[in-house]
Amino acid sequence: MSPVPNAQATTPTKPFLRTLAGLPSARPPIWLMRQAGRYLPEYRETRAKAGSFLDLCYNPELATEVTLQPIRRFGFDAAILFADILLLPQALGQGLAFKENEGPVLDAIRTSGELARLDANGIHKKLAPVYEAVSRIKAGLPDECALIGFAGAPWTVATYMLEGRGSSDHAAAKTWAFGNPEGLDALMDILVEATGAYLERQVQAGAEAVQIFDTWAGVLPEQEFRRYCIEPVKRIIARLKGKYPSLPVIAFPRGAGVMYDGYAAATGADALGMDYTLPVSWARDHLWPKTVVQGNLDPRLLVVGGQALADGVNRLLRSFPQQRYIFNLGHGIVPETPVRHVEELVRLVKGMQVSA
Ligand code: 1CP
């Protein structure tokens, strides 16, 4: 397949892409993780129309609609494809359901032998509605707004595949990491290949940057962090950059703490999403401005609003002046967030009303 036009091949004009390329901009671009979601009445309406969460993910027209809703309402600088990190294991053949108020449930993989159940051959056919949604979103975006594609990092996706659900201790995946590392390596190989192929297709369909979510990066000791968080992400990024050298890649190794140091160089990521526990002063001294950073307002601060929110925003804007900074939360927006607080946040960042 011939290399596909990639908006980064020439000097980007969209503020989000300019910042990712290290170019100066008048103010930091802003988007929010989980910006399409239950805090928006129009999302709840569209989701009800779709039936279930998965029906919404696989309906290109409605997935496009919910992706664009927060763009219309708030004028964010980037849209993120509406999908889920667990669509990929489902495309590999693993059973997946989202139970109301319970989160995802998958047919857990218990042994290395069961990895043979996974089949990479049919993934693009199953994920075709996602690629179609990407094309439609791209066509419907305002000129200045960039489109982010995404996938889960292999470690985070594996925690759900092995546990069969969300968990607080990741017992199943950690048991594989310590007790069956070759088995977990085999799963990593499958996920690195499938995730690379999945993201490539998103780029071909119109994604202008990608974010790799490693939500559970913070639960592993150093050696296992290197093997299961850094290595697989590095291989995915190498593949993407081999095909699209100027594609910006954002990595979000949530909870990685001091392991954020050196993470961008080790994986080849252009930008790092900072979780809300990462000290801003430390990030400024150790990551920025060599690496573009994104984040890390606590989503709860957006629920609280008022002066506390303004202070938090100011602290971030003062810490990362002028360039190589993308405003975002330090994790996804929560459903009880008042819409007017998001409006206020956007007003503060776009107005750059930094008080001394
Ligand atoms: O409508 C609903 O009630 C479902 C809630 C929901 C939504 C809106 C889920 C279920 N997924 C999503 C969409 C989603 N998921 C996006 C869309 C784009 C956007 O940001 O607007 C993205 C990027 C994700 C990524 C995702 N899914 C992650 C990584 C980021 C993160 O939040 O840490 C993870 C861990 C998931 C799994 C998942 N999907 C949904 C839930 C409730 C969970 C977490 C399960 C758990 O661990 O308990």
Side-chain angles (χ1 to χ4, degrees):
M1 221 174 284
S2 63
V4 163
N6 166 345
Q8 292 286 284
T10 51
T11 306
T13 54
K14 301 183 180 188
F16 174 77
L17 298 175
R18 286 181 60 83
T19 296
L20 279 170
L23 299 166
S25 59
R27 59 160 178 91
I30 175 172
W31 70 281
L32 304 180
M33 289 188 277
R34 289 277 172 101
Q35 64 194 16
R38 277 177 292 168
Y39 75 107
L40 285 178
E42 59 269 36
Y43 170 86
R44 297 195 296 270
E45 205 174 291
T46 310
R47 186 170 173 321
K49 203 175 356 161
S52 72
F53 172 66
L54 282 175
D55 288 334
L56 178 54
C57 290
Y58 290 117
N59 182 322
E61 188 191 335
L62 297 184
T64 299
E65 168 59 22
V66 293
T67 301
L68 295 177
Q69 283 168 351
I71 307 304
R72 285 187 209 117
R73 203 189 250 272
F74 306 112
F76 289 125
D77 295 296
I80 183 162
L81 163 69
F82 189 84
D84 195 83
I85 64 166
L86 299 178
L87 301 188
L88 189 64
Q90 188 179 37
L92 286 165
Q94 195 171 18
L96 170 70
F98 278 88
K99 305 253 160 88
E100 211 56 50
N101 301 321
E102 207 192 304
V105 181
L106 301 91
D107 295 333
I109 294 168
R110 308 272 175 215
T111 63
S112 298
E114 289 179 22
L115 293 175
R117 293 202 315 233
L118 302 173
D119 176 13
N121 289 320
I123 65 167
H124 296 312
K125 201 165 164 215
K126 292 180 187 149
L127 294 165
V130 176
Y131 309 141
E132 194 189 326
V134 172
S135 312
R136 286 178 180 232
I137 297 162
K138 185 71 173 300
L141 277 182
D143 289 347
E144 287 291 281
C145 184
L147 176 54
I148 305 169
F150 77 92
W155 164 251
T156 285
V157 173
T159 64
Y160 292 95
M161 296 177 78
L162 301 175
E163 196 81 41
R165 56 201 319 120
S167 83
S168 52
D169 60 6
H170 314 288
K174 291 181 79 165
T175 301
W176 280 60
F178 297 130
N180 180 16
E182 294 77 18
L184 189 52
D185 281 341
L187 177 54
M188 290 291 123
D189 286 346
I190 293 168
L191 289 173
V192 164
E193 171 59 31
T195 307
Y198 180 42
L199 289 173
E200 259 181 39
R201 290 291 182 111
Q202 291 184 30
V203 174
Q204 285 163 15
E208 296 163 287
V210 298
Q211 177 155 323
I212 301 174
F213 287 87
D214 213 348
T215 300
W216 302 115
V219 305
L220 287 174
E222 180 179 359
Q223 200 179 326
E224 286 72 24
F225 181 87
R226 292 191 190 284
R227 183 162 172 172
Y228 302 115
C229 292
I230 291 187
E231 274 304 307
V233 169
K234 173 187 176 177
R235 288 164 64 196
I236 292 167
I237 295 176
R239 172 183 177 153
L240 293 171
K241 296 277 186 180
K243 222 161 188 179
Y244 308 108
S246 49
L247 174 74
V249 179
I250 307 167
F252 179 54
R254 187 169 80 104
V258 294
M259 299 303 283
Y260 267 96
D261 206 359
Y263 182 95
T267 58
D270 302 279
L272 290 181
M274 304 178 287
D275 70 77
Y276 57 81
T277 66
L278 197 71
V280 168
S281 55
W282 183 89
R284 192 191 47 220
D285 294 344
H286 290 82
L287 308 176
W288 182 88
K290 200 162 76 184
T291 304
V292 176
V293 294
Q294 168 179 285
N296 69 346
L297 193 85
D298 194 311
R300 284 283 148 198
L301 208 38
L302 195 54
V303 179
V304 170
Q307 195 55 46
L309 172 63
D311 290 346
V313 172
N314 271 328
R315 206 172 306 125
L316 281 163
L317 295 179
R318 270 202 312 267
S319 298
F320 303 108
Q322 281 151 11
Q323 58 187 27
R324 293 181 169 258
Y325 174 63
I326 297 163
F327 198 96
N328 206 317
L329 303 177
H331 198 194
I333 196 166
V334 295
E336 55 271 41
T337 306
V339 167
R340 66 178 194 286
H341 292 181
V342 180
E343 287 164 356
E344 175 66 7
L345 170 66
V346 172
R347 200 179 62 77
L348 288 168
V349 174
K350 288 199 169 178
M352 278 287 280
Q353 290 155 345
V354 187
S355 48

